[in-house]
Amino acid sequence: MAQLIVALDLPRKDAALSLARNLQGLVPWCKVGMELFTLAGPNLLTSLKNMGFKVFLDLKFYDIPHTVGRAVNAAAAAGVDLLTLHCQGGGRMCREARAVVDSLAADSPARPLLFGVTVLTSFAPGEMPGIAASPADFALGLAASAQDWGLDGVVCSGQEAARIKAASPGLLCLCPGIRPAGTAAGDQRRVMTPARAVAAGADFLVVGRPILEAPSPLEAARRILVEINAAE
Ligand code: C5P
């Protein structure tokens, strides 16, 4: 069953915690991205864990292998359940991340899942600097590599999920760019409704503005969950 992740893309820690409290018991996952983490720091991750959420730290690591390995170690120590790194960091960087989480597994049964960002869902065809391939083809190639490098899954558009799942069985797909019918795409370009993303094989759906900007975030989240359940 696909799991819903709410992106806490808010400019204040108290606003993020208040939204989380509102969604507690309904939405299983919260995502903390670069804005909120920069504002609020790792204590927020602990607060969300204590509220019973699974925590996705979306900092999209992209650096030399040593630095990424150390950052993955720090995220694991903070109790993060899932984190992102860029597939374009390459094999040595991704394998280092995997080696770090494998070395933790001996001490603790829980380790963060590692998800490689393929092509940001905000890219339209022709917008990736220096890359002639379509976003879908490029994402497919990166996903195959990500599996070879030991990542648990990839971040991709729902539009690419079916091809990725067919080519790389066992690789999990986490899809942002989710837009319920009638909601604004904003800066996202490769979007899909929750139902279509689930039908395409998405394992996790990340939703920010369609929940955050709804008149009732709780109602918006409920409607998305109903759509996910009906599509299974
Ligand atoms: O508001 P919206 O639903 O577009 O939010 C999507 C969230 O997913 C944002 O927090 C964004 O940073 C994140 N994300 C994304 N595309 C990726 C990876 C992460 O939109 N490829």
Side-chain angles (χ1 to χ4, degrees), residues 52-63:
F53 286 102
K54 294 261 198 186
V55 172
F56 166 14
L57 182 64
D58 186 23
L59 298 181
K60 301 183 181 71
F61 296 143
Y62 178 81
D63 210 315

Side-chain angles (χ1 to χ4, degrees), residues 54-225:
K54 294 261 198 186
V55 172
F56 166 14
L57 182 64
D58 186 23
L59 298 181
K60 301 183 181 71
F61 296 143
Y62 178 81
D63 210 315
I64 60 171
H66 175 77
T67 301
V68 167
R70 300 282 288 247
V72 167
N73 193 50
V80 161
D81 298 287
L82 190 158
L83 64 84
T84 44
L85 62 170
H86 272 283
C87 291
Q88 286 192 74
R92 282 194 294 122
M93 188 196 87
C94 293
R95 286 198 172 100
E96 176 67 18
R98 179 62 199 238
V100 166
V101 295
D102 282 348
S103 72
L104 299 167
D107 310 314
S108 125
R111 65 146 179 101
L113 294 171
L114 300 176
F115 274 67
V117 176
T118 56
V119 177
L120 294 171
T121 43
S122 53
F123 276 120
E127 284 187 341
M128 287 184 293
I131 294 168
S134 71
D137 288 347
F138 198 63
L140 194 70
L142 286 174
S145 298
Q147 194 168 39
D148 290 345
W149 299 333
L151 302 191
D152 300 290
V154 289
V155 184
C156 63
S157 161
Q159 297 178 13
E160 289 122 35
R163 279 178 75 197
I164 288 174
K165 300 288 274 191
S168 304
L171 192 67
L172 298 170
C173 285
L174 183 153
C175 299
I178 299 298
R179 290 294 181 266
T183 57
D187 57 349
Q188 298 282 17
R189 292 294 176 268
R190 302 191 331 285
V191 299
M192 247 193 183
T193 64
R196 291 192 61 210
V198 171
D203 300 286
F204 297 91
L205 305 189
V206 178
V207 184
R209 285 162 290 182
I211 291 176
L212 306 181
E213 296 176 359
S216 163
L218 185 62
E219 263 318 299
R222 278 206 184 108
R223 275 197 300 274
I224 291 168
L225 287 166

